[in-house]
């Protein structure tokens, strides 16, 4: 059975063009929604994917209607392939029920993996360059060394509680304790 999925990004847009193309392609059921591709919540897509059975084919008008990114698209199509559900994109002429369509899909998968590796390599190179310039990653400590020294001095008075000291420095008790431990004042 051919199942269609149509999506537009805003309420002002219409799915008419997509619906007509999906109907002409032989779709029996067509799920449609108006939601930005940035949104992670796409209830109609989730329902559509749930209803697909072995041997069915999911058809979309264009690839960007289905996935938010190349990685997302490859993940969705990979899951469909694992369930023995076909996939077709009308505009790009991709059909995973054919050998050439599966080849194109696997090329997309390879490109997505290549892109992830490039991003990872650039991130690691950027971190290494920052470390070489003396920059240290991570969040800045809430309490300076001077603050920790003052906190330790305040805590030497048995009348002052850790809660009082934490409130004075506008931090939680957990942060105060971690700061004291880090500089061995605990």
């Amino acid at each position: 059975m051919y199942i269609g999925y149509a999506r537009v990004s805003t309420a002002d847009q219409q799915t008419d063009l997509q619906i007509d193309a999906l109907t002409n392609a032989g779709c029996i059921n067509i799920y449609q929604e108006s939601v930005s591709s940035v949104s992670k919540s796409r209830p109609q897509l989730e329902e559509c994917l749930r209803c697909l059975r072995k041997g069915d084919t999911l058809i979309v008008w264009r690839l960007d209607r289905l996935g938010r990114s190349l990685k997302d698209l490859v993940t969705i199509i990979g899951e469909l392939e694992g369930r023995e559900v076909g996939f077709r994109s009308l505009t790009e002429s991709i059909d995973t029920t054919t050998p050439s369509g599966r080849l194109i899909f696997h090329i997309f998968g390879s490109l997505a993996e290549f892109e992830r590796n490039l991003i990872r390599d650039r991130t690691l190179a950027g971190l290494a360059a920052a470390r070489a310039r003396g920059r240290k990653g991570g969040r800045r400590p809430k309490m300076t060394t001077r603050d920790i020294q003052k906190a330790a001095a305040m805590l030497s008075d048995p009348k002052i509680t850790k809660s009082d000291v934490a409130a004075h420095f506008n931090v939680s008790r957990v942060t105060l304790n971690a700061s004291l431990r880090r500089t061995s004042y605990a």
Side-chain angles (χ1 to χ4, degrees):
M1 186 158 76
Y2 292 152
I3 308 292
Y5 175 71
R7 181 186 59 78
V8 290
S9 300
T10 65
D12 296 343
Q13 297 173 331
Q14 301 295 319
T15 57
D16 297 343
L17 172 68
Q18 294 177 52
I19 299 298
D20 291 346
L22 294 171
T23 302
N24 289 337
C27 291
I28 306 298
N29 294 333
I30 299 174
Y31 294 83
Q32 55 184 312
E33 61 191 336
S34 175
V35 63
S36 169
S37 64
V38 177
S39 174
K40 290 188 180 195
S41 175
R42 295 180 285 174
Q44 287 297 305
L45 176 60
E46 292 167 14
E47 179 66 23
C48 175
L49 295 174
R50 247 191 319 274
C51 290
L52 291 165
R53 296 182 312 259
K54 179 179 175 179
D56 288 347
T57 300
L58 174 63
I59 302 177
V60 296
W61 180 59
R62 279 189 7 201
L63 288 173
D64 66 348
R65 301 296 89 197
L66 181 63
R68 295 189 308 267
S69 65
L70 181 58
K71 179 184 175 198
D72 187 35
L73 189 62
V74 168
T75 300
I76 292 170
I77 297 173
E79 289 171 2
L80 293 176
E81 189 177 60
R83 293 170 46 198
E84 296 183 39
V85 172
F87 171 77
R88 279 180 53 202
S89 172
L90 301 176
T91 305
E92 291 86 4
S93 300
I94 295 174
D95 184 349
T96 64
T97 63
T98 67
S100 61
R102 283 191 295 279
L103 172 66
I104 291 173
F105 166 70
H106 288 293
I107 290 171
F108 278 176
S110 296
L111 290 173
E113 184 177 343
F114 178 68
E115 179 185 32
R116 282 192 300 273
N117 288 334
L118 284 178
I119 291 169
R120 182 181 51 94
D121 290 347
R122 282 193 301 258
T123 301
L124 292 174
L127 290 172
R131 275 193 294 279
R133 289 189 308 274
R135 303 241 1 214
K136 192 169 121 183
R139 180 189 245 182
R140 293 190 188 275
K142 289 249 185 190
M143 296 181 72
T144 64
T145 304
R146 183 87 176 122
D147 290 339
I148 296 167
Q149 291 170 346
K150 287 179 185 177
M154 291 171 74
L155 287 171
S156 65
D157 183 347
K159 294 178 186 169
I160 300 177
T161 66
K162 280 191 177 180
S163 295
D164 295 335
V165 175
H168 175 78
F169 289 101
N170 198 25
V171 297
S172 69
R173 278 188 55 163
V174 173
T175 299
L176 175 64
N177 287 331
S179 298
L180 290 169
R181 271 194 307 275
R182 191 174 59 247
T183 55
S184 67
Y185 279 105

